[in-house]
Amino acid sequence: MFNYKGLTIEKFCHDSFLVRNGEISMYFDPFKLSKNIPKADYIFISHEHFDHFSFDDIHKIIKDSTVLFMNKMTYKEIDSLLDNKMIIISPGDSVDFNGLHIEGVPAYNLNKFKEPGKVYHPKEDKQLGFIITFNGVKIYYAGDTDDIPEMDGLSSKNIDLLFIPVSGTYVMTPAEALKAAEKIGADISIPMHYGTIVGDKKQAEIFKEGCLKKGLHSEII
């Protein structure tokens, strides 16, 4: 558990987080959630892979008023299984909803290949990262991505919290994540994508040590 400017941030595993302001509960890629946790007001799903889009875990936290944000490919997976409001976002989109400002950011691989010439997360799939202004705090949840060119201009966004993958399997290595974090210049960078399916805490610690040497603030949750 980590507190930041009126928000509490809880990490469950892998890329799964709960961000709360005492009234509103916002989940990112809910996966392997614990029991007796708050119901979701908002759920953000970066893409359709099972460790990010877990229908079983969504059922643990959903209520009638829960709103879900996702790309078109994930929406096709849900189809008519839920009656909840669902908002489709593509990279480059900007949406204002109930006091939230939400921007879709590309999330894709440059050099993580599952076979020659074919990456795990292709750009054309329009998988997502999210920049969300919530409770006056600007959160960038990067999703499953490499250090992509679209990150080059994000320093102007004045990101407060950066959730960034570091395992090196399917996503950035700690060194690549450090370069991305330097460009983005968030107040605090929180490593993710380790400890459950791939990677371990060592990658998060290497990333945090690198941040310290660069004068950046990182927290392992």
Side-chain angles (χ1 to χ4, degrees), residues 187-207:
D187 190 23
I188 298 177
S189 297
I190 298 169
M192 63 180 186
H193 202 278
Y194 66 89
T196 300
I197 295 175
V198 294
D200 55 41
K201 194 175 180 180
K202 181 179 179 181
Q203 280 89 38
E205 291 169 343
I206 292 170
F207 172 76

Side-chain angles (χ1 to χ4, degrees), residues 160-178:
D160 293 297
L161 296 175
L162 167 63
F163 297 84
I164 187 166
V166 301
S167 69
T169 304
Y170 316 128
V171 295
M172 288 181 268
T173 65
E176 291 167 337
L178 179 60

